Amino acid sequence: MKKEQNFSILIAGGGSTFTPGIILMLLDHMDTFPIRQIKLYDNDKERQETIARACEILLKERFPQVSFSYTTDPEKAFTDVDFVMAHIRVGKYAMREKDEKIPLKYDVVGQETCGPGGIAYGMRSIGGVLELLDYMEKYSPNAWMLNYSNPAAIVAEATRKLRPNAKIINICDMPIGIERSFATILGLKDRKEMICRYYGLNHFGWWTSITDKDGNDLMEKLKDYVKDNGYVVNTVDFQHKDPSWKDTYMKVKDVYALDPDTLPNTYLKYYLCQDYVVAHSDKSYTRANEVMAGREKQIFTAAQEIIDKGTAADCAFHVDNHASFIVDLARAIAFNTGERMLLIVKNEGAISNFDEDAMVEVPCIVGKNGPEPLAMGKIPIFQKGLMEQQVAVEKLVVEAWAERSYQKLWQALTLSKTVPSGETAKKILDDLIEANKEFWPELR
Ligand code: NAD
Ligand code: G6P
Ligand code: MN
């Protein structure tokens, strides 16, 4: 790709609550990442239509030279594309609600990407993301897919194993949100003023070093804050502002206490404070309900307002973490910038005492040929033990999906640190199979 090129972007999962944020971010960066075309693709025509019509108005007002279209036809969508930014949710919020509520019935963590809920979501997402990759391969084989579709850990393992040559990079914005909190705690203007070392699996990792650009340590000051306050700061980023997220940011202090040498990802709460999480869950009103009443409603109301008024002049859309990261990544590939970014990649020695074939989250240098992982060295027994257990869960899920194996999926659930026994795992699994009939392959 040449610098003077203008790019064509496809957003897959066009009806997502995050689509307007991505479009706004793309528009904010037209000078450094010029775009000639934006297309939306979804398999739910009505849902996408509301978001698309609002974005169409916004684009016409701000960048009429950018061509815009939306479709449910894969050929139209995937033809003539440089980057696919993918964030689909197979089964939508209705299935997320079941992922969260079914385990809770058995007093087990009910979460979008962790434990049995994440496994159930993984079993739905694998087929959906592979389908997108196959469309991309068929209609725009030189394109890159930047994939946010969750559960990113399981999706990444599935694409590694089942589409080993695909040009896909799996990403997560949680560390970005957390690093923004770090910057606020440290009184820095931008998270990019810090250089971070981090290792783990997706939603399962630790910072081991944070310095300024001159190499001076910033971890000690952060630790001093985190031991009392977790990651709660006054200006919590927009995406993680709801009360349940604030609780998660606060609970970090207890997760941190387990290993004061590192700073943890917020999601470790679901594996290390399982009983607390269950005790603090409302079995009839979970995060899915909060999102449907909150983010989904706000975004779709804002979109409808734009359509009704015929203008996006003072619209309520906003840019979120999700978006800024994805644009940075596209630019790094397009212009070979060599930017350092945290990505989910094949280990291949980056963590020297961990499975070479595991999909791990580590800092990478990103250029036009994709990410090059940086060496994070050896990890301690505590983290290694936890990660080996969790990566085995993720690998078993992908094998279960590929082989249609009930046995392997039962083993995956049993092995999850969130589940107390094989018996409980089986009860949850049988309920999940019933709920996911429309989406999972039939297991034998
Ligand atoms: P959403 O339900 O609002 O949007 C998802 C869209 O995907 C829906 O419009 C749906 O119709 C569409 N879809 C479902 N299956 C499809 C398929 N097979 N082909 C095409 N389109 C399909 O969900 P959301 O809350 O906006 O989240 C979107 C995705 O982004 C989720 O997977 C979410 O977990 C993920 N996400 C990831 C990160 C991260 O850190 N990796 C951050 C934020 C969101
Ligand atoms: C974080 C995670 C994502 C997750 C998102 C939204 O940013 O990294 O993987 O999807 O939060 O969660 P929510 O509960 O708000 O839908
Ligand atoms: Mn994530």
Side-chain angles (χ1 to χ4, degrees), residues 168-212:
I168 177 171
I169 303 178
N170 294 288
I171 51 184
C172 172
D173 65 5
M174 190 72 256
I176 306 299
I178 296 171
E179 286 176 13
R180 283 193 178 160
S181 278
F182 290 168
T184 306
I185 294 164
L186 295 166
L188 304 174
K189 274 203 206 70
D190 190 344
R191 68 176 174 85
K192 291 184 181 174
E193 289 174 42
M194 302 178 295
I195 298 173
C196 300
R197 287 174 69 82
Y198 178 101
Y199 68 80
L201 310 170
N202 178 237
H203 289 185
F204 205 99
W206 294 265
W207 281 266
T208 57
S209 152
I210 299 168
T211 67
D212 64 19

mmCIF file of all heavy atoms in Angstrom, residues 168-212:
data_model
loop_
_atom_site.group_PDB
_atom_site.id
_atom_site.type_symbol
_atom_site.label_atom_id
_atom_site.label_comp_id
_atom_site.label_asym_id
_atom_site.label_seq_id
_atom_site.Cartn_x
_atom_site.Cartn_y
_atom_site.Cartn_z
ATOM 1 N N ILE A 168 -5.612 -11.968 9.743
ATOM 2 C CA ILE A 168 -6.496 -11.461 10.798
ATOM 3 C C ILE A 168 -5.652 -11.115 12.017
ATOM 4 O O ILE A 168 -4.711 -11.839 12.348
ATOM 5 C CB ILE A 168 -7.586 -12.507 11.178
ATOM 6 C CG1 ILE A 168 -8.469 -11.998 12.334
ATOM 7 C CG2 ILE A 168 -6.977 -13.866 11.531
ATOM 8 C CD1 ILE A 168 -9.692 -12.858 12.614
ATOM 9 N N ILE A 169 -5.978 -9.997 12.637
ATOM 10 C CA ILE A 169 -5.346 -9.649 13.919
ATOM 11 C C ILE A 169 -6.472 -9.476 14.935
ATOM 12 O O ILE A 169 -7.421 -8.721 14.703
ATOM 13 C CB ILE A 169 -4.525 -8.350 13.817
ATOM 14 C CG1 ILE A 169 -3.457 -8.493 12.719
ATOM 15 C CG2 ILE A 169 -3.856 -8.056 15.156
ATOM 16 C CD1 ILE A 169 -2.621 -7.247 12.519
ATOM 17 N N ASN A 170 -6.375 -10.213 16.031
ATOM 18 C CA ASN A 170 -7.401 -10.140 17.074
ATOM 19 C C ASN A 170 -6.968 -9.156 18.150
ATOM 20 O O ASN A 170 -5.815 -9.185 18.586
ATOM 21 C CB ASN A 170 -7.635 -11.538 17.656
ATOM 22 C CG ASN A 170 -8.241 -12.465 16.614
ATOM 23 O OD1 ASN A 170 -9.403 -12.323 16.252
ATOM 24 N ND2 ASN A 170 -7.447 -13.395 16.093
ATOM 25 N N ILE A 171 -7.913 -8.323 18.554
ATOM 26 C CA ILE A 171 -7.546 -7.232 19.463
ATOM 27 C C ILE A 171 -8.568 -7.025 20.574
ATOM 28 O O ILE A 171 -9.713 -7.463 20.477
ATOM 29 C CB ILE A 171 -7.374 -5.906 18.697
ATOM 30 C CG1 ILE A 171 -8.594 -5.632 17.806
ATOM 31 C CG2 ILE A 171 -6.120 -5.928 17.867
ATOM 32 C CD1 ILE A 171 -8.449 -4.391 16.965
ATOM 33 N N CYS A 172 -8.113 -6.352 21.620
ATOM 34 C CA CYS A 172 -8.971 -6.062 22.772
ATOM 35 C C CYS A 172 -8.663 -4.664 23.270
ATOM 36 O O CYS A 172 -7.514 -4.247 23.291
ATOM 37 C CB CYS A 172 -8.681 -7.058 23.888
ATOM 38 S SG CYS A 172 -9.514 -6.662 25.436
ATOM 39 N N ASP A 173 -9.710 -3.962 23.697
ATOM 40 C CA ASP A 173 -9.484 -2.585 24.149
ATOM 41 C C ASP A 173 -9.417 -2.436 25.671
ATOM 42 O O ASP A 173 -9.246 -1.341 26.171
ATOM 43 C CB ASP A 173 -10.568 -1.664 23.594
ATOM 44 C CG ASP A 173 -11.928 -2.000 24.153
ATOM 45 O OD1 ASP A 173 -12.023 -2.881 25.036
ATOM 46 O OD2 ASP A 173 -12.910 -1.387 23.703
ATOM 47 N N MET A 174 -9.568 -3.555 26.405
ATOM 48 C CA MET A 174 -9.552 -3.417 27.879
ATOM 49 C C MET A 174 -8.240 -2.819 28.373
ATOM 50 O O MET A 174 -8.267 -1.876 29.171
ATOM 51 C CB MET A 174 -9.804 -4.792 28.528
ATOM 52 C CG MET A 174 -10.055 -4.731 30.025
ATOM 53 S SD MET A 174 -11.663 -4.039 30.430
ATOM 54 C CE MET A 174 -11.258 -2.399 30.972
ATOM 55 N N PRO A 175 -7.091 -3.317 27.902
ATOM 56 C CA PRO A 175 -5.839 -2.713 28.370
ATOM 57 C C PRO A 175 -5.737 -1.217 28.029
ATOM 58 O O PRO A 175 -5.147 -0.449 28.801
ATOM 59 C CB PRO A 175 -4.755 -3.522 27.635
ATOM 60 C CG PRO A 175 -5.398 -4.851 27.377
ATOM 61 C CD PRO A 175 -6.835 -4.519 27.066
ATOM 62 N N ILE A 176 -6.328 -0.812 26.907
ATOM 63 C CA ILE A 176 -6.303 0.616 26.544
ATOM 64 C C ILE A 176 -7.084 1.432 27.571
ATOM 65 O O ILE A 176 -6.628 2.476 28.042
ATOM 66 C CB ILE A 176 -6.953 0.840 25.152
ATOM 67 C CG1 ILE A 176 -6.304 -0.038 24.104
ATOM 68 C CG2 ILE A 176 -6.933 2.307 24.751
ATOM 69 C CD1 ILE A 176 -4.859 0.211 23.904
ATOM 70 N N GLY A 177 -8.270 0.924 27.915
ATOM 71 C CA GLY A 177 -9.093 1.615 28.918
ATOM 72 C C GLY A 177 -8.336 1.714 30.239
ATOM 73 O O GLY A 177 -8.333 2.758 30.899
ATOM 74 N N ILE A 178 -7.680 0.626 30.623
ATOM 75 C CA ILE A 178 -6.941 0.610 31.893
ATOM 76 C C ILE A 178 -5.734 1.552 31.825
ATOM 77 O O ILE A 178 -5.475 2.309 32.760
ATOM 78 C CB ILE A 178 -6.499 -0.828 32.242
ATOM 79 C CG1 ILE A 178 -7.728 -1.719 32.480
ATOM 80 C CG2 ILE A 178 -5.588 -0.841 33.463
ATOM 81 C CD1 ILE A 178 -7.432 -3.208 32.613
ATOM 82 N N GLU A 179 -5.056 1.533 30.696
ATOM 83 C CA GLU A 179 -3.886 2.431 30.571
ATOM 84 C C GLU A 179 -4.318 3.895 30.594
ATOM 85 O O GLU A 179 -3.562 4.769 31.031
ATOM 86 C CB GLU A 179 -3.087 2.099 29.298
ATOM 87 C CG GLU A 179 -2.291 0.796 29.474
ATOM 88 C CD GLU A 179 -1.542 0.349 28.223
ATOM 89 O OE1 GLU A 179 -1.410 1.154 27.274
ATOM 90 O OE2 GLU A 179 -1.086 -0.814 28.193
ATOM 91 N N ARG A 180 -5.531 4.158 30.158
ATOM 92 C CA ARG A 180 -6.037 5.537 30.300
ATOM 93 C C ARG A 180 -6.192 5.896 31.766
ATOM 94 O O ARG A 180 -5.906 7.016 32.179
ATOM 95 C CB ARG A 180 -7.368 5.684 29.577
ATOM 96 C CG ARG A 180 -7.176 5.796 28.096
ATOM 97 C CD ARG A 180 -8.469 6.251 27.467
ATOM 98 N NE ARG A 180 -8.295 6.402 26.043
ATOM 99 C CZ ARG A 180 -9.277 6.409 25.170
ATOM 100 N NH1 ARG A 180 -10.522 6.294 25.579
ATOM 101 N NH2 ARG A 180 -9.044 6.563 23.897
ATOM 102 N N SER A 181 -6.669 4.928 32.557
ATOM 103 C CA SER A 181 -6.742 5.171 34.004
ATOM 104 C C SER A 181 -5.338 5.407 34.566
ATOM 105 O O SER A 181 -5.127 6.312 35.381
ATOM 106 C CB SER A 181 -7.368 3.977 34.734
ATOM 107 O OG SER A 181 -8.763 4.016 34.663
ATOM 108 N N PHE A 182 -4.379 4.598 34.132
ATOM 109 C CA PHE A 182 -2.990 4.777 34.600
ATOM 110 C C PHE A 182 -2.531 6.216 34.311
ATOM 111 O O PHE A 182 -1.951 6.876 35.169
ATOM 112 C CB PHE A 182 -2.022 3.836 33.864
ATOM 113 C CG PHE A 182 -2.165 2.360 34.201
ATOM 114 C CD1 PHE A 182 -1.524 1.405 33.414
ATOM 115 C CD2 PHE A 182 -2.913 1.932 35.281
ATOM 116 C CE1 PHE A 182 -1.629 0.043 33.707
ATOM 117 C CE2 PHE A 182 -3.034 0.565 35.580
ATOM 118 C CZ PHE A 182 -2.382 -0.366 34.778
ATOM 119 N N ALA A 183 -2.778 6.655 33.085
ATOM 120 C CA ALA A 183 -2.326 8.002 32.698
ATOM 121 C C ALA A 183 -2.950 9.054 33.608
ATOM 122 O O ALA A 183 -2.276 9.982 34.068
ATOM 123 C CB ALA A 183 -2.654 8.262 31.232
ATOM 124 N N THR A 184 -4.245 8.884 33.896
ATOM 125 C CA THR A 184 -4.923 9.849 34.777
ATOM 126 C C THR A 184 -4.306 9.822 36.167
ATOM 127 O O THR A 184 -4.014 10.872 36.762
ATOM 128 C CB THR A 184 -6.428 9.511 34.874
ATOM 129 O OG1 THR A 184 -6.950 9.430 33.553
ATOM 130 C CG2 THR A 184 -7.191 10.560 35.658
ATOM 131 N N ILE A 185 -4.079 8.612 36.705
ATOM 132 C CA ILE A 185 -3.495 8.489 38.049
ATOM 133 C C ILE A 185 -2.121 9.171 38.081
ATOM 134 O O ILE A 185 -1.760 9.839 39.051
ATOM 135 C CB ILE A 185 -3.351 6.991 38.437
ATOM 136 C CG1 ILE A 185 -4.730 6.340 38.575
ATOM 137 C CG2 ILE A 185 -2.546 6.823 39.726
ATOM 138 C CD1 ILE A 185 -4.730 4.812 38.580
ATOM 139 N N LEU A 186 -1.385 9.024 36.997
ATOM 140 C CA LEU A 186 -0.020 9.567 36.947
ATOM 141 C C LEU A 186 0.030 11.039 36.531
ATOM 142 O O LEU A 186 1.099 11.639 36.491
ATOM 143 C CB LEU A 186 0.825 8.746 35.958
ATOM 144 C CG LEU A 186 1.067 7.274 36.342
ATOM 145 C CD1 LEU A 186 1.599 6.493 35.146
ATOM 146 C CD2 LEU A 186 2.033 7.172 37.520
ATOM 147 N N GLY A 187 -1.133 11.590 36.186
ATOM 148 C CA GLY A 187 -1.167 12.987 35.741
ATOM 149 C C GLY A 187 -0.586 13.190 34.347
ATOM 150 O O GLY A 187 -0.090 14.268 34.022
ATOM 151 N N LEU A 188 -0.632 12.162 33.518
ATOM 152 C CA LEU A 188 -0.151 12.293 32.134
ATOM 153 C C LEU A 188 -1.319 12.639 31.221
ATOM 154 O O LEU A 188 -2.460 12.251 31.483
ATOM 155 C CB LEU A 188 0.480 10.977 31.662
ATOM 156 C CG LEU A 188 1.622 10.414 32.517
ATOM 157 C CD1 LEU A 188 2.052 9.049 32.006
ATOM 158 C CD2 LEU A 188 2.803 11.379 32.515
ATOM 159 N N LYS A 189 -1.025 13.305 30.120
ATOM 160 C CA LYS A 189 -2.088 13.698 29.195
ATOM 161 C C LYS A 189 -2.573 12.511 28.374
ATOM 162 O O LYS A 189 -3.728 12.430 27.988
ATOM 163 C CB LYS A 189 -1.558 14.776 28.242
ATOM 164 C CG LYS A 189 -1.677 16.159 28.826
ATOM 165 C CD LYS A 189 -1.681 17.199 27.676
ATOM 166 C CE LYS A 189 -1.166 18.530 28.153
ATOM 167 N NZ LYS A 189 0.295 18.536 28.456
ATOM 168 N N ASP A 190 -1.645 11.591 28.067
ATOM 169 C CA ASP A 190 -1.958 10.562 27.086
ATOM 170 C C ASP A 190 -1.333 9.243 27.524
ATOM 171 O O ASP A 190 -0.179 9.228 27.988
ATOM 172 C CB ASP A 190 -1.334 11.005 25.742
ATOM 173 C CG ASP A 190 -1.791 10.137 24.589
ATOM 174 O OD1 ASP A 190 -2.324 9.040 24.838
ATOM 175 O OD2 ASP A 190 -1.591 10.570 23.431
ATOM 176 N N ARG A 191 -2.059 8.155 27.326
ATOM 177 C CA ARG A 191 -1.485 6.841 27.667
ATOM 178 C C ARG A 191 -0.236 6.549 26.832
ATOM 179 O O ARG A 191 0.612 5.754 27.221
ATOM 180 C CB ARG A 191 -2.522 5.734 27.490
ATOM 181 C CG ARG A 191 -2.913 5.474 26.065
ATOM 182 C CD ARG A 191 -3.863 4.304 25.897
ATOM 183 N NE ARG A 191 -4.300 4.216 24.516
ATOM 184 C CZ ARG A 191 -3.634 3.595 23.551
ATOM 185 N NH1 ARG A 191 -2.510 2.974 23.823
ATOM 186 N NH2 ARG A 191 -4.085 3.593 22.318
ATOM 187 N N LYS A 192 -0.134 7.205 25.682
ATOM 188 C CA LYS A 192 1.017 6.933 24.817
ATOM 189 C C LYS A 192 2.317 7.526 25.371
ATOM 190 O O LYS A 192 3.378 7.315 24.806
ATOM 191 C CB LYS A 192 0.747 7.428 23.397
ATOM 192 C CG LYS A 192 -0.334 6.581 22.713
ATOM 193 C CD LYS A 192 -0.575 6.964 21.281
ATOM 194 C CE LYS A 192 -1.672 6.094 20.670
ATOM 195 N NZ LYS A 192 -2.061 6.486 19.332
ATOM 196 N N GLU A 193 2.236 8.267 26.479
ATOM 197 C CA GLU A 193 3.466 8.727 27.145
ATOM 198 C C GLU A 193 4.111 7.612 27.964
ATOM 199 O O GLU A 193 5.205 7.780 28.493
ATOM 200 C CB GLU A 193 3.161 9.921 28.055
ATOM 201 C CG GLU A 193 2.833 11.185 27.275
ATOM 202 C CD GLU A 193 2.388 12.318 28.186
ATOM 203 O OE1 GLU A 193 2.988 12.511 29.260
ATOM 204 O OE2 GLU A 193 1.418 13.005 27.815
ATOM 205 N N MET A 194 3.406 6.467 28.078
ATOM 206 C CA MET A 194 3.955 5.350 28.869
ATOM 207 C C MET A 194 4.448 4.242 27.933
ATOM 208 O O MET A 194 3.914 4.043 26.855
ATOM 209 C CB MET A 194 2.863 4.739 29.758
ATOM 210 C CG MET A 194 2.229 5.720 30.721
ATOM 211 S SD MET A 194 0.917 4.971 31.709
ATOM 212 C CE MET A 194 -0.296 4.559 30.493
ATOM 213 N N ILE A 195 5.466 3.507 28.397
ATOM 214 C CA ILE A 195 5.895 2.291 27.700
ATOM 215 C C ILE A 195 5.593 1.117 28.629
ATOM 216 O O ILE A 195 6.052 1.095 29.780
ATOM 217 C CB ILE A 195 7.393 2.345 27.351
ATOM 218 C CG1 ILE A 195 7.620 3.529 26.393
ATOM 219 C CG2 ILE A 195 7.842 1.033 26.697
ATOM 220 C CD1 ILE A 195 9.063 3.803 26.105
ATOM 221 N N CYS A 196 4.785 0.189 28.130
ATOM 222 C CA CYS A 196 4.293 -0.882 29.002
ATOM 223 C C CYS A 196 4.806 -2.238 28.573
ATOM 224 O O CYS A 196 4.895 -2.537 27.384
ATOM 225 C CB CYS A 196 2.763 -0.929 28.955
ATOM 226 S SG CYS A 196 1.995 0.609 29.491
ATOM 227 N N ARG A 197 5.134 -3.057 29.571
ATOM 228 C CA ARG A 197 5.357 -4.490 29.333
ATOM 229 C C ARG A 197 4.183 -5.224 29.961
ATOM 230 O O ARG A 197 3.755 -4.906 31.073
ATOM 231 C CB ARG A 197 6.692 -4.934 29.947
ATOM 232 C CG ARG A 197 7.890 -4.436 29.153
ATOM 233 C CD ARG A 197 9.195 -4.757 29.840
ATOM 234 N NE ARG A 197 9.514 -6.180 29.870
ATOM 235 C CZ ARG A 197 10.076 -6.863 28.861
ATOM 236 N NH1 ARG A 197 10.372 -6.242 27.738
ATOM 237 N NH2 ARG A 197 10.344 -8.141 28.985
ATOM 238 N N TYR A 198 3.657 -6.197 29.243
ATOM 239 C CA TYR A 198 2.428 -6.889 29.649
ATOM 240 C C TYR A 198 2.479 -8.275 29.040
ATOM 241 O O TYR A 198 2.990 -8.460 27.937
ATOM 242 C CB TYR A 198 1.241 -6.103 29.084
ATOM 243 C CG TYR A 198 -0.154 -6.664 29.353
ATOM 244 C CD1 TYR A 198 -0.954 -6.122 30.364
ATOM 245 C CD2 TYR A 198 -0.688 -7.692 28.574
ATOM 246 C CE1 TYR A 198 -2.242 -6.611 30.600
ATOM 247 C CE2 TYR A 198 -1.968 -8.181 28.814
ATOM 248 C CZ TYR A 198 -2.736 -7.637 29.821
ATOM 249 O OH TYR A 198 -4.025 -8.112 30.050
ATOM 250 N N TYR A 199 1.925 -9.249 29.751
ATOM 251 C CA TYR A 199 1.785 -10.571 29.137
ATOM 252 C C TYR A 199 0.525 -11.233 29.668
ATOM 253 O O TYR A 199 0.031 -10.889 30.746
ATOM 254 C CB TYR A 199 3.001 -11.458 29.428
ATOM 255 C CG TYR A 199 3.110 -11.862 30.887
ATOM 256 C CD1 TYR A 199 2.340 -12.919 31.401
ATOM 257 C CD2 TYR A 199 3.930 -11.167 31.765
ATOM 258 C CE1 TYR A 199 2.399 -13.256 32.734
ATOM 259 C CE2 TYR A 199 3.995 -11.511 33.099
ATOM 260 C CZ TYR A 199 3.218 -12.559 33.580
ATOM 261 O OH TYR A 199 3.260 -12.882 34.904
ATOM 262 N N GLY A 200 0.008 -12.186 28.910
ATOM 263 C CA GLY A 200 -1.148 -12.949 29.366
ATOM 264 C C GLY A 200 -1.905 -13.533 28.198
ATOM 265 O O GLY A 200 -1.390 -13.621 27.071
ATOM 266 N N LEU A 201 -3.138 -13.949 28.509
ATOM 267 C CA LEU A 201 -4.078 -14.342 27.462
ATOM 268 C C LEU A 201 -5.056 -13.183 27.364
ATOM 269 O O LEU A 201 -5.026 -12.271 28.182
ATOM 270 C CB LEU A 201 -4.807 -15.623 27.885
ATOM 271 C CG LEU A 201 -3.899 -16.767 28.362
ATOM 272 C CD1 LEU A 201 -4.754 -17.875 28.989
ATOM 273 C CD2 LEU A 201 -3.079 -17.301 27.196
ATOM 274 N N ASN A 202 -5.965 -13.216 26.402
ATOM 275 C CA ASN A 202 -6.935 -12.126 26.351
ATOM 276 C C ASN A 202 -7.837 -12.152 27.599
ATOM 277 O O ASN A 202 -8.304 -13.204 28.018
ATOM 278 C CB ASN A 202 -7.792 -12.228 25.090
ATOM 279 C CG ASN A 202 -8.834 -11.115 25.049
ATOM 280 O OD1 ASN A 202 -10.020 -11.380 24.963
ATOM 281 N ND2 ASN A 202 -8.411 -9.882 25.149
ATOM 282 N N HIS A 203 -8.088 -10.977 28.162
ATOM 283 C CA HIS A 203 -8.877 -10.824 29.399
ATOM 284 C C HIS A 203 -8.260 -11.651 30.536
ATOM 285 O O HIS A 203 -8.980 -12.177 31.396
ATOM 286 C CB HIS A 203 -10.354 -11.220 29.180
ATOM 287 C CG HIS A 203 -11.098 -10.228 28.337
ATOM 288 N ND1 HIS A 203 -12.463 -10.321 28.086
ATOM 289 C CD2 HIS A 203 -10.693 -9.114 27.680
ATOM 290 C CE1 HIS A 203 -12.848 -9.321 27.312
ATOM 291 N NE2 HIS A 203 -11.788 -8.562 27.052
ATOM 292 N N PHE A 204 -6.930 -11.762 30.529
ATOM 293 C CA PHE A 204 -6.272 -12.661 31.486
ATOM 294 C C PHE A 204 -4.780 -12.315 31.499
ATOM 295 O O PHE A 204 -3.954 -13.130 31.106
ATOM 296 C CB PHE A 204 -6.498 -14.106 30.992
ATOM 297 C CG PHE A 204 -6.432 -15.172 32.066
ATOM 298 C CD1 PHE A 204 -7.596 -15.689 32.625
ATOM 299 C CD2 PHE A 204 -5.211 -15.686 32.496
ATOM 300 C CE1 PHE A 204 -7.551 -16.691 33.586
ATOM 301 C CE2 PHE A 204 -5.159 -16.690 33.468
ATOM 302 C CZ PHE A 204 -6.332 -17.201 34.002
ATOM 303 N N GLY A 205 -4.436 -11.097 31.909
ATOM 304 C CA GLY A 205 -3.024 -10.722 31.804
ATOM 305 C C GLY A 205 -2.579 -9.715 32.861
ATOM 306 O O GLY A 205 -3.377 -9.233 33.677
ATOM 307 N N TRP A 206 -1.290 -9.392 32.817
ATOM 308 C CA TRP A 206 -0.658 -8.575 33.856
ATOM 309 C C TRP A 206 0.365 -7.602 33.259
ATOM 310 O O TRP A 206 1.136 -7.988 32.366
ATOM 311 C CB TRP A 206 0.097 -9.477 34.846
ATOM 312 C CG TRP A 206 -0.772 -10.375 35.659
ATOM 313 C CD1 TRP A 206 -1.256 -10.145 36.920
ATOM 314 C CD2 TRP A 206 -1.260 -11.686 35.285
ATOM 315 N NE1 TRP A 206 -2.009 -11.220 37.353
ATOM 316 C CE2 TRP A 206 -2.029 -12.181 36.370
ATOM 317 C CE3 TRP A 206 -1.138 -12.496 34.139
ATOM 318 C CZ2 TRP A 206 -2.665 -13.430 36.343
ATOM 319 C CZ3 TRP A 206 -1.770 -13.735 34.118
ATOM 320 C CH2 TRP A 206 -2.521 -14.188 35.207
ATOM 321 N N TRP A 207 0.418 -6.383 33.800
ATOM 322 C CA TRP A 207 1.509 -5.452 33.474
ATOM 323 C C TRP A 207 2.673 -5.760 34.400
ATOM 324 O O TRP A 207 2.479 -5.939 35.609
ATOM 325 C CB TRP A 207 1.074 -4.004 33.710
ATOM 326 C CG TRP A 207 0.241 -3.434 32.622
ATOM 327 C CD1 TRP A 207 0.665 -2.707 31.543
ATOM 328 C CD2 TRP A 207 -1.195 -3.513 32.496
ATOM 329 N NE1 TRP A 207 -0.407 -2.348 30.755
ATOM 330 C CE2 TRP A 207 -1.565 -2.825 31.310
ATOM 331 C CE3 TRP A 207 -2.218 -4.098 33.248
ATOM 332 C CZ2 TRP A 207 -2.885 -2.706 30.878
ATOM 333 C CZ3 TRP A 207 -3.530 -3.987 32.819
ATOM 334 C CH2 TRP A 207 -3.838 -3.294 31.644
ATOM 335 N N THR A 208 3.866 -5.803 33.827
ATOM 336 C CA THR A 208 5.050 -6.073 34.649
ATOM 337 C C THR A 208 5.957 -4.852 34.747
ATOM 338 O O THR A 208 6.816 -4.795 35.620
ATOM 339 C CB THR A 208 5.873 -7.227 34.056
ATOM 340 O OG1 THR A 208 6.221 -6.880 32.713
ATOM 341 C CG2 THR A 208 5.083 -8.518 34.061
ATOM 342 N N SER A 209 5.785 -3.912 33.836
ATOM 343 C CA SER A 209 6.638 -2.722 33.883
ATOM 344 C C SER A 209 5.931 -1.585 33.151
ATOM 345 O O SER A 209 5.331 -1.795 32.093
ATOM 346 C CB SER A 209 7.983 -3.042 33.213
ATOM 347 O OG SER A 209 8.555 -1.867 32.675
ATOM 348 N N ILE A 210 5.991 -0.421 33.763
ATOM 349 C CA ILE A 210 5.474 0.781 33.099
ATOM 350 C C ILE A 210 6.481 1.892 33.359
ATOM 351 O O ILE A 210 6.824 2.170 34.518
ATOM 352 C CB ILE A 210 4.083 1.176 33.649
ATOM 353 C CG1 ILE A 210 3.087 0.014 33.394
ATOM 354 C CG2 ILE A 210 3.576 2.463 32.996
ATOM 355 C CD1 ILE A 210 1.788 0.149 34.113
ATOM 356 N N THR A 211 6.974 2.464 32.278
ATOM 357 C CA THR A 211 7.950 3.549 32.434
ATOM 358 C C THR A 211 7.519 4.739 31.574
ATOM 359 O O THR A 211 6.635 4.614 30.722
ATOM 360 C CB THR A 211 9.365 3.129 31.962
ATOM 361 O OG1 THR A 211 9.334 2.938 30.540
ATOM 362 C CG2 THR A 211 9.835 1.862 32.637
ATOM 363 N N ASP A 212 8.181 5.878 31.807
ATOM 364 C CA ASP A 212 7.976 6.982 30.881
ATOM 365 C C ASP A 212 8.897 6.782 29.676
ATOM 366 O O ASP A 212 9.645 5.795 29.620
ATOM 367 C CB ASP A 212 8.188 8.349 31.577
ATOM 368 C CG ASP A 212 9.629 8.548 32.064
ATOM 369 O OD1 ASP A 212 10.536 7.836 31.582
ATOM 370 O OD2 ASP A 212 9.840 9.426 32.921
#
